[in-house]
Amino acid sequence: MSVTERTLLGPGPSNPYPEATLGLAAPILGHLDPEFVAMLERTCERLRSLWGTRNPLTLPLSGTGSLGMEAAFTNTVRAGDQVVVAVNGLFGERMCEVAGRYGAHVVRVDHDWGQPVDVQRVLDAHPAPALVAAVHAETSTGVVSDIGALGRALRERSEDTLLLADCVTSLGGTPMALDEWRVDIAYSGTQKCLGVAPGLAPFTFSERAWEHRVQSPPVWYLDLGLLGAYVRGGPGGRTYHHTAPTSMVASLDAALARIEQEGMEEVAARHEAAGARLREGLREMGLELFAAEGHHLAQLTSVRVPDGVDSGKVRDRLLREYGLEIGAGVGPYAASVWRIGLMGHNARLDRAELVLAALRRVLER
Ligand SMILES: *Cc1c(COP(=O)(O)O)cnc(C)c1O
């Protein structure tokens, strides 16, 4: 067996929290084992706490972040529904694509990449949509948006519009208060700031969303009416729906325990400090940051590739010579932007210094 020791990955840590790795390595529990069932319940409770919600329907779905996105739309969108999507990067684009497949009439609110979501423009896009969707932390551009401002503004206008937030790169890196922000539906992924292997999509659905839900969504696997019983169980107890990926849940539970122990405020401060140091060091090197000033995401820094520098060659050298993986840009910015993730266990000052030192060497700056 070969063991590589990569320290950084563009859009997510390749070395998760050590606790999460131990969780994966523990003896495998059966999905009906009472010990596992108790663990799943605990994981759901830990997710509620991290997300700042009391939603009973909060659980890790068996799939990656995109599955969370799929579950969000398949359970809320009916053919012909007016759905406003704020698009300020790749994942907003993906939401338009998914919503469209469920028959939504998608009203796109396009932003320049690198800009945060403009609340007023989203409000102005449609007077009474069934759903508004936005990405909290756009991993494709390194921008964080004010989901709380959007949620409160929407709720002031109407009780009938649901708000969906993609929290894949914010959960576990940025403090969250979904109930206060009036977010109805949110999903995340384990491999970003939660510092776990890819494979689960933490998911939460408000009582309001439950009232508005699609009764029999076209995707059986993601029908929340069935999945609710899978975690909580009715009077007859928890019912089988599909086999839970038990080791992944154990790993997520261990990572959430670690975040709890460290304290979410401390964890967020650690992400902030690492991101701030990285931005400062990149500027000292004469590099130009990509995200709009004041809206930088701590856990993912986007920076422009200097003129005349081959983006791929630099990434390749960082990987081969230093064991550091940084991300390329996305879409139109594939060759002109780098994305450097400092998430979960990697959100540390020493990692920021390491990537800066290696980049300085490779760029000879
Ligand atoms: C990574 C990511 C996704 C997709 O998650 P997968 O785990 O790759 O399916 C969705 N939204 C955002 C903001 C992401 O960063």
Side-chain angles (χ1 to χ4, degrees), residues 116-148:
V117 171
D118 182 329
V119 173
Q120 196 55 47
R121 286 189 52 223
V122 173
L123 287 173
D124 293 345
H126 195 283
L131 181 73
V132 169
V135 176
H136 187 199
E138 239 315 339
T139 327
S140 62
T141 62
V143 165
V144 62
S145 290
D146 189 346
I147 294 296

Side-chain angles (χ1 to χ4, degrees), residues 1-346:
M1 190 174 82
S2 80
V3 178
T4 52
E5 223 198 89
R6 305 258 192 265
T7 45
L8 295 161
L9 184 78
S14 53
N15 63 336
Y17 283 127
E19 293 82 351
T21 310
L22 288 174
L24 267 184
I28 299 168
L29 290 172
H31 71 114
L32 301 174
D33 189 314
E35 200 180 314
F36 171 71
V37 175
M39 180 191 286
L40 181 61
E41 289 298 319
R42 187 171 65 222
T43 303
C44 296
E45 192 49 37
R46 286 184 160 143
L47 285 174
R48 284 184 198 101
S49 152
L50 195 57
W51 242 324
T53 183
R54 292 313 309 155
N55 294 340
L57 192 45
T58 301
L59 75 163
L61 298 179
S62 307
T64 67
S66 303
L67 184 100
M69 187 189 291
E70 196 86 41
F73 286 105
T74 194
N75 283 281
T76 52
V77 170
R78 293 167 184 83
D81 274 358
Q82 303 290 318
V83 173
V84 172
V85 182
V87 181
N88 63 338
L90 175 76
F91 295 105
E93 284 285 350
R94 189 174 294 181
M95 291 205 287
C96 293
E97 166 77 22
V98 175
R101 288 188 184 215
Y102 292 105
H105 175 86
V106 177
V107 181
R108 295 172 60 110
V109 183
D110 279 296
H111 298 67
D112 287 338
W113 283 33
Q115 294 296 321
V117 171
D118 182 329
V119 173
Q120 196 55 47
R121 286 189 52 223
V122 173
L123 287 173
D124 293 345
H126 195 283
L131 181 73
V132 169
V135 176
H136 187 199
E138 239 315 339
T139 327
S140 62
T141 62
V143 165
V144 62
S145 290
D146 189 346
I147 294 296
L150 178 60
R152 284 186 286 262
L154 277 171
R155 193 60 75 83
E156 244 171 59
R157 190 171 72 177
S158 155
E159 283 290 319
D160 293 328
T161 299
L162 296 176
L163 175 59
L164 160 58
D166 174 317
C167 300
V168 175
T169 298
S170 47
L171 189 66
T174 307
M176 300 257 184
L178 292 191
D179 287 354
E180 210 181 295
W181 297 348
R182 310 301 185 113
V183 171
D184 296 289
I185 307 133
Y187 57 86
S188 188
T190 35
Q191 79 275 25
K192 307 278 168 75
C193 295
L194 291 170
V196 181
L200 291 177
F203 188 86
T204 189
F205 206 69
S206 73
E207 308 268 25
R208 234 161 60 87
W210 181 256
E211 284 161 24
H212 286 77
R213 82 185 184 282
V214 174
Q215 289 290 340
S216 210
V219 183
W220 176 89
Y221 194 68
L222 299 175
D223 182 342
L224 290 175
L226 304 175
L227 281 165
Y230 155 87
V231 274
R232 284 176 297 171
R238 180 175 173 268
T239 54
Y240 165 74
H241 174 266
H242 68 275
T243 306
T246 54
S247 295
M248 278 304 299
V249 174
S251 183
L252 174 59
D253 183 51
L256 292 172
R258 185 220 156 97
I259 291 170
E260 226 168 71
Q261 198 176 25
E262 191 179 342
M264 190 54 227
E265 282 193 12
E266 285 72 16
V267 171
R270 182 159 58 70
H271 281 79
E272 280 302 330
R277 175 59 199 129
L278 182 59
R279 294 195 300 272
E280 178 188 55
L282 292 169
R283 283 187 174 121
E284 283 164 7
M285 252 186 266
L287 299 182
E288 191 191 337
L289 300 178
F290 178 70
E293 201 46 52
H295 305 280
H296 294 290
L297 187 57
Q299 46 268 45
L300 186 125
T301 299
S302 52
V303 57
R304 291 185 191 273
V305 177
D307 286 343
V309 169
D310 182 323
S311 161
K313 276 198 186 134
V314 170
R315 292 176 55 234
D316 189 55
R317 279 192 63 194
L318 287 174
L319 189 63
R320 276 188 298 109
E321 295 172 23
Y322 298 92
L324 296 177
E325 189 177 1
I326 69 170
V330 173
Y333 300 98
S336 58
V337 166
W338 286 313
R339 295 175 308 133
I340 307 174
L342 290 172
M343 301 178 189
H345 192 54
N346 278 327

